[in-house]
């Protein structure tokens, strides 16, 4: 029902429940099909995911961004505080730690965005 409402009225979907693997792809295809059924262009409905592997490595971050971009995701948000589903919170808590991760993440993936 959520995907049908997005297809009819929305301009995007914040998809948080699927990990960066093929399990998300059928849901993306379903959303795009529903959007087309509404007479809308699937490219007009964005898909946002949250990258929540703040303790990961630059290589892991790059692999994940490549996967999501290939899947057609339009927005990627780094979130170090969300700890549900498969997401992992940043193990450290200080503002300086969070800023450090954000800078390292940006430096690692900026050329892929």
């Amino acid at each position: 029902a959520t995907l049908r409402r997005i297809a009819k009225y929305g301009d995007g979907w914040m998809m948080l429940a699927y990990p960066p693997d093929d399990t998300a792809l059928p849901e993306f295809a379903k959303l795009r099909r529903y959007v087309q059924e509404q007479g809308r262009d699937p490219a007009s409905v964005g898909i946002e995911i949250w990258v929540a592997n703040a303790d990961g490595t630059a290589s892991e971050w790059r692999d994940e961004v490549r996967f999501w971009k290939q899947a057609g995701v339009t927005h990627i948000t780094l979130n170090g505080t969300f700890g549900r589903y498969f997401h992992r919170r940043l193990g450290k808590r200080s503002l300086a730690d969070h800023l450090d991760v954000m800078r390292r993440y940006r430096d690692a993936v900026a050329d892929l965005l």
Side-chain angles (χ1 to χ4, degrees):
T2 299
L3 294 181
R4 288 196 182 277
R5 283 192 301 273
I6 293 167
K8 188 171 183 175
Y9 303 111
D11 61 4
W13 178 29
M14 291 176 61
M15 191 286 300
L16 304 179
Y18 294 94
D21 63 29
D22 291 347
T23 59
L25 302 181
E27 296 304 307
F28 293 167
K30 187 187 307 182
L31 174 62
R32 291 180 183 114
R33 186 175 67 250
Y34 291 163
V35 170
Q36 284 181 320
E37 289 171 2
Q38 291 296 320
R40 300 176 63 199
D41 178 3
S44 70
V45 178
I47 298 174
E48 177 179 347
I49 58 91
W50 289 4
V51 177
N53 181 9
D55 286 328
T57 67
S59 177
E60 290 170 332
W61 294 336
R62 291 181 64 79
D63 288 346
E64 186 171 4
V65 168
R66 282 189 199 103
F67 173 82
W68 288 126
K69 294 296 282 186
Q70 187 174 358
V73 165
T74 57
H75 297 75
I76 298 174
T77 300
L78 174 63
N79 189 318
T81 61
F82 188 69
R84 297 173 80 184
Y85 309 114
F86 64 93
H87 299 274
R88 294 181 298 204
R89 296 173 59 118
L90 179 63
K92 300 173 183 173
R93 297 186 180 265
S94 76
L95 176 59
D97 291 328
H98 282 260
L99 290 172
D100 177 60
V101 168
M102 286 188 267
R103 285 185 189 106
R104 287 188 297 113
Y105 186 86
R106 180 202 58 214
D107 292 346
V109 304
D111 65 308
L112 300 175
L113 301 176

